[in-house]
Amino acid sequence: MKQTDNGQGMRRPVDPMRHHRENGWDYKGRAIYHFTLAVEERYPLFGTLEGESPETAFVSLNPFGRRVCQMLCGLAQFYEGKGFALKVLAQKVMPDHVHLVIQVLEPLPQSIGAVVRGFKSGCTKVYKEEYDSGENAAGVHGKGEGNAAGVHGKEEGNAAGVHGNGEGNAAEVRESALVHFARIFASRGSIWQQDAAYYHERILHAPGQLRRMIDYVKDNPRRLWIKSHHPDLFRLHRRTEAAGLLFTSMGNHFLLDWPDKQVVEMSRSAREEEVQERLREVLAAAHNGAVTYTAAISKGEQLIARTLREQGYPLVVLLNDGFPKEGSPNERYYKPGGVYFEACSRGQLLLLEPTEQAFLDTGIQAAVEKTLRRKAEARHYSYTPIPLTSQRYRFVALNEMAKRMAQ
C-alpha cells in the first residue's frame, strides 16, 4: 500500500488501491517492490483464517489457495527462462488477497508489471480450468440446476472443495456469497479485483523499509485476527459528532467521553528542553487519567504522542486527511498502519479526520484567525489572512478543534 507521511508520526494511505505508478520511475530497472493483489469484492477464495488467538492465527489454504502459493514460490524460476532476473523475498496468501515482496536483480526485458499481470492471468486460468468447470457449475452460474461444486472445487458435490464447507445458515450465507462471486467471474472472466492499475504497488526506497515490509507481510494473519475479533475498533464512522463538529473516525469512541482531557500543542521552534519539560507534564497528567488530544504536527508534538502511545496511555489524534475517501471501493478494508494499528487494537486510540464542514465552522475560523494574529504580533509581523484551503490553516484548525473538544 503506497503511503505518505502526514507529519503526524503516522504512515497512511492516500487511497487504497488507487493507481500509484511513480512518474519517471524505470519499471525495468533494479528495485524492490511490494505488491498487493485483491480478489474481486474480497471474496475469501483462497482459504480461511484459523487460530484461537492472534499469536496462533494462520491461514488455512484450500486447494486453490495452495496452488496460488506454489505459483508465487515458483515465480522467479518460471520467469528466469524468459530473461527475468527476480527473487521472491516474501509472500503471503491471505483468504482474499495476496502479498508479494519481490526484488529485480538485473534490468528486465519488460516492465515488472508484466510479471504481476502474468501471475494474475495464470491464477485465473488455473481457477477456470480446475475449479470453474464441469456440469455441477451450471447451477451456480445460473444455467440450470445442480449445486456449487463446480466453483467450490471438483472434489465433492457440496461446498467442501475450494471454498470450504459448513452447516445450517452459515453454509447458506457462504452459498449466497459464492453465487454472487461466481456470477461476477462469469461476466468478467477474472478472479481479481477490477482495477485500472491491475495491481497495487509500493516501491521500497528507504533504509530499513524492506525488513519492515517483510515483517508486515508475515504478520498479516495476526493483524487480520485482531481486526476480525475487534470489528468496532476498526470500523470507519463517517459522521462522528464531537463538540459540534463532524469527523470521520476510527478507534475507541469512549475516549471522547473521558472527563479528564489535555491538549498537546507545541511550536515547531520549541527548544529541546521545552519539549522535554512539556513531555514530563503530559505524562504526569496521563498517568493520573487524562486523555491526550493532539494533531501531532510539530516534532515536539510527535515525540510526545509517540511516548504516550509507547507507554500505553490513551490518545485522540486529529488527522488532516488520514482515511480513504468516502465511496472508495476499498474503504471497508482500511486499517491504520504500523504502531497505530496496535494502539487501536488495544482501545488506546481514536483517530479523527475533520470533515470539510468542520474546517469551515465559523467558530474554528475565528479561533484560527485569533491564533495567527497573536503569532504575527509576537513576531512583530502584520497579520495577513490565509486561504481556508491552505495547509497552514488546516494544521492550525486541527489544534483549535482539539482545544474545543478538550474543554
Side-chain angles (χ1 to χ4, degrees):
M1 180 178 294
K2 183 172 180 179
Q3 298 174 323
T4 58
D5 194 330
N6 63 357
Q8 299 164 306
M10 177 182 177
R11 302 291 291 180
R12 55 168 175 73
V14 176
D15 195 358
M17 305 305 288
R18 186 186 292 172
H19 191 144
H20 280 312
R21 305 295 90 82
E22 290 194 14
N23 293 331
W25 182 259
D26 180 10
Y27 283 90
K28 295 181 181 180
R30 296 182 182 90
I32 299 176
Y33 299 89
H34 170 223
F35 296 107
T36 302
L37 314 175
V39 175
E40 181 64 64
E41 298 200 7
R42 289 300 189 101
Y43 184 81
L45 189 61
F46 304 132
T48 57
L49 183 70
E50 306 289 347
E52 299 299 321
S53 69
E55 291 69 31
T56 61
F58 69 98
V59 178
S60 177
L61 297 176
N62 56 41
F64 182 53
R66 291 195 290 271
R67 287 290 302 273
V68 171
C69 185
Q70 291 169 1
M71 293 173 69
L72 281 173
C73 293
L75 198 64
Q77 184 177 1
F78 175 81
Y79 275 96
E80 183 179 7
K82 300 178 181 292
F84 291 74
L86 306 169
K87 183 178 181 181
V88 174
L89 302 178
Q91 58 91 1
K92 179 67 69 175
V93 180
M94 298 297 289
D96 59 7
H97 65 282
V98 168
H99 289 286
L100 171 64
V101 179
I102 193 167
Q103 182 177 10
V104 178
L105 301 173
E106 299 293 341
L108 304 176
Q110 293 178 266
S111 162
I112 185 65
V115 175
V116 180
R117 291 191 292 271
F119 167 75
K120 291 177 67 176
S121 297
C123 292
T124 295
K125 182 179 179 181
V126 169
Y127 179 79
K128 185 174 182 179
E129 291 178 350
E130 299 294 328
Y131 304 104
D132 189 46
S133 59
E135 63 183 71
N136 287 331
V140 174
H141 290 284
K143 298 178 182 177
E145 301 296 322
N147 57 26
V151 174
H152 283 288
K154 295 179 179 179
E155 291 87 345
E156 303 194 24
N158 56 20
V162 172
H163 298 281
N165 54 27
E167 299 177 357
N169 292 333
E172 293 176 6
V173 170
R174 282 195 295 272
E175 185 77 2
S176 176
L178 167 64
V179 171
H180 180 65
F181 175 81
R183 286 172 178 164
I184 293 176
F185 178 78
S187 65
R188 288 194 51 234
S190 174
I191 65 172
W192 302 104
Q193 187 174 64
Q194 193 167 17
D195 187 348
Y198 293 101
Y199 52 86
H200 173 78
E201 74 177 36
R202 185 178 179 190
I203 305 171
L204 306 185
H205 297 289
Q209 208 173 10
L210 174 59
R211 172 45 53 192
R212 290 194 297 271
M213 186 55 67
I214 290 176
D215 290 343
Y216 169 82
V217 169
K218 293 180 178 179
D219 195 41
N220 255 248
R222 184 187 70 89
R223 293 163 61 88
L224 179 58
W225 194 99
I226 291 172
K227 184 179 179 183
S228 63
H229 285 75
H230 302 279
D232 288 341
L233 295 176
F234 294 96
R235 184 172 292 118
L236 266 178
H237 298 263
R238 289 296 181 182
R239 293 183 65 82
T240 298
E241 184 174 351
L245 303 170
L246 288 178
F247 299 87
T248 295
S249 63
M250 175 178 284
N252 185 356
H253 290 81
F254 288 107
L255 297 181
L256 291 173
D257 301 323
W258 212 272
D260 193 4
K261 306 172 184 179
Q262 63 178 336
V263 176
V264 171
E265 179 186 10
M266 298 211 69
S267 169
R268 295 177 184 271
S269 58
R271 300 188 306 275
E272 177 63 23
E273 54 268 27
E274 293 177 314
V275 173
Q276 291 300 321
E277 176 60 28
R278 182 64 179 133
L279 174 60
R280 286 190 286 270
E281 296 172 354
V282 170
L283 285 175
H287 182 72
N288 289 325
V291 170
T292 304
Y293 286 69
T294 181
I297 298 168
S298 71
K299 289 185 177 179
E301 293 167 0
Q302 292 174 21
L303 171 65
I304 293 172
R306 182 169 62 251
T307 305
L308 287 166
R309 189 187 65 241
E310 289 172 349
Q311 296 193 20
Y313 292 116
L315 269 174
V316 176
V317 179
L318 285 86
L319 307 172
N320 182 27
D321 57 348
F323 298 119
K325 302 301 180 184
E326 187 168 8
S328 169
N330 291 280
E331 64 178 318
R332 65 190 176 110
Y333 306 113
Y334 169 80
K335 56 183 180 294
V339 291
Y340 273 31
F341 177 91
E342 304 299 334
C344 200
S345 69
R346 293 191 294 267
Q348 297 169 209
L349 180 67
L350 176 63
L351 299 173
L352 296 174
E353 178 189 326
T355 62
E356 288 305 309
Q357 180 181 341
F359 280 113
L360 297 177
D361 179 85
T362 55
I364 294 299
Q365 291 185 51
V368 170
E369 181 177 355
K370 182 178 179 180
T371 295
L372 293 177
R373 281 186 181 277
R374 185 178 68 250
K375 290 182 177 181
E377 291 171 359
R379 298 178 182 180
H380 306 290
Y381 295 144
S382 59
Y383 169 72
T384 302
I386 60 176
L388 301 185
T389 55
S390 68
Q391 285 287 76
R392 189 182 182 199
Y393 171 82
R394 296 175 82 89
F395 283 157
V396 176
L398 290 176
N399 283 320
E400 297 305 325
M401 293 177 197
K403 293 174 188 175
R404 183 193 286 192
M405 287 187 287
Q407 288 178 352

